[in-house]
Amino acid sequence: MAAHWTLNDLPWDRFDPTRVDPELLRAVKAAALVEHNADDYVTYLCNVFADDAAFCAVVRQWGVEEVQHGQALARWAQIADPDFDPALALRRFTENYRLPLEATASVRGSRNGELVARCVVECGTSSFYSAIRDVTEEPLLKIIAAKIAADEFRHFKLFYDHLQRYQRNQPLGKLSRLRVALGRMQEASDDELAMAYWCGNGCQGDYDREKQSAAYELRASQVYRFGHIQRGLAMAFKACDLNPQGWFSRGFGALVWRLLQWRQRRLAAIAAA
């Protein structure tokens, strides 16, 4: 990989406290913890791909960049909210949420499936940070989100290229790839983001996965515009070897957009309960 930006490259003096959206801040705190937890994903992926030295090498560099994303977001959040303690929040998060680090085979059933799932994650993160970049009025966060979004688009290509390599040797069918992709999308409401949201925002009250997941998803989903959803889904379709610009992709994007708007109303009720 080419030389990567560092925290010192960010213009921290451009922070404008009057432009901070407190609701978006809560979502950023959670995202910082998830990004910072990338070392566990590196361990898991290097276990699954233990005999693939080339892939493990790029995954380790990927992990370094993901951790840096978490550090940048955490530093911004701490500037925006001096009461936020990133180290304490991260410790609480890692104590309560762990990946299956002992696994030596992919939980997706195959290495191809694992790479499809990683592509889907990068589709989601690239879309999410692009959406934050476009919606936030705070100058520093806009810059940080733009840099992270660019990294995530590049990370998608990294996993996609290795997926293509594995597909040449032992292909995984389109339907199987689509099944993995849809399954990974559904995991957006699992414990990881819910726990990160709870730990990032002070562990207030007892942990309730459904309520915390709804609170995070509600705040995070509000940054999206239709174009972000459409582009992210097009990337996911590409990973499944489906036409990213075809009628099915466009129709599915429109359906997801309508479902997102409906789900926001439902999530608001759950989070407020």
Side-chain angles (χ1 to χ4, degrees):
M1 293 184 181
H4 191 247
W5 57 275
T6 70
L7 298 184
N8 292 332
D9 295 326
L10 296 171
W12 298 101
D13 58 341
R14 291 192 59 183
F15 176 75
D16 183 349
T18 67
R19 300 284 186 170
V20 173
D21 178 343
E23 295 303 308
L24 180 56
L25 172 59
R26 295 175 71 85
V28 168
K29 289 176 180 177
L33 300 185
V34 173
E35 296 280 356
H36 208 299
N37 202 35
D39 284 342
D40 278 1
Y41 282 98
V42 171
T43 299
Y44 165 73
L45 288 171
C46 286
N47 286 345
V48 172
F49 293 85
D51 61 347
D52 190 338
F55 179 74
C56 289
V58 297
V59 163
R60 292 187 185 98
Q61 178 58 33
W62 165 83
V64 170
E65 295 183 8
E66 293 292 304
V67 169
Q68 183 180 283
H69 295 170
Q71 292 169 337
L73 294 169
R75 183 170 171 182
W76 178 86
Q78 191 171 35
I79 295 172
D81 176 11
D83 291 331
F84 175 56
D85 184 340
L88 175 60
L90 181 63
R91 186 174 75 248
R92 288 171 169 170
F93 175 56
T94 55
E95 286 173 352
N96 286 281
Y97 181 83
R98 301 294 292 181
L99 289 171
L101 300 182
E102 71 285 351
T104 57
S106 172
V107 298
R108 311 294 168 186
S110 68
R111 290 181 172 184
N112 304 56
E114 187 64 50
L115 291 168
V116 170
R118 295 315 311 169
C119 285
V120 168
V121 171
E122 303 303 334
C123 295
T125 53
S126 61
S127 298
F128 179 54
Y129 292 111
S130 294
I132 291 178
R133 175 201 63 203
D134 294 342
V135 76
T136 185
E137 296 181 356
E138 200 292 298
L140 177 58
L141 181 59
K142 186 178 287 290
I143 292 169
I144 293 172
K147 287 185 176 294
I148 295 177
D151 282 349
E152 304 294 20
F153 282 117
R154 180 166 49 81
H155 292 166
F156 170 83
K157 185 177 186 303
L158 181 158
F159 289 113
Y160 180 78
D161 288 347
H162 283 277
L163 170 61
Q164 295 301 92
R165 178 165 64 89
Y166 274 87
Q167 282 292 111
R168 287 193 293 270
N169 296 326
Q170 192 171 0
L172 184 65
K174 294 182 181 181
L175 288 179
S176 295
R177 290 159 76 175
L178 182 60
R179 189 179 303 114
V180 170
L182 292 175
R184 187 60 186 86
M185 289 177 190
Q186 291 177 341
E187 290 173 21
S189 60
D190 69 6
D191 262 333
E192 183 177 27
L193 286 170
M195 183 61 71
Y197 184 82
W198 186 63
C199 294
N201 290 284
C203 299
Q204 298 173 0
D206 295 332
Y207 175 67
D208 181 322
R209 188 192 65 79
E210 183 181 25
K211 188 171 182 178
Q212 298 301 325
S213 179
Y216 170 78
E217 189 179 344
L218 176 62
R219 287 169 174 84
S221 67
Q222 289 172 338
V223 304
Y224 288 100
R225 301 296 178 264
F226 177 65
H228 303 128
I229 298 294
Q230 191 173 43
R231 184 171 186 180
L233 287 173
M235 293 166 66
F237 271 61
K238 181 178 179 180
C240 296
D241 197 27
L242 298 171
N243 185 352
Q245 305 301 329
W247 65 267
F248 182 68
S249 176
R250 293 194 301 271
F252 190 69
L255 175 62
V256 169
W257 177 245
R258 288 194 292 271
L259 287 173
L260 179 66
Q261 293 174 310
W262 168 82
R263 186 163 172 77
Q264 283 177 346
R265 295 190 292 271
R266 182 172 178 270
L267 291 170
I270 295 173

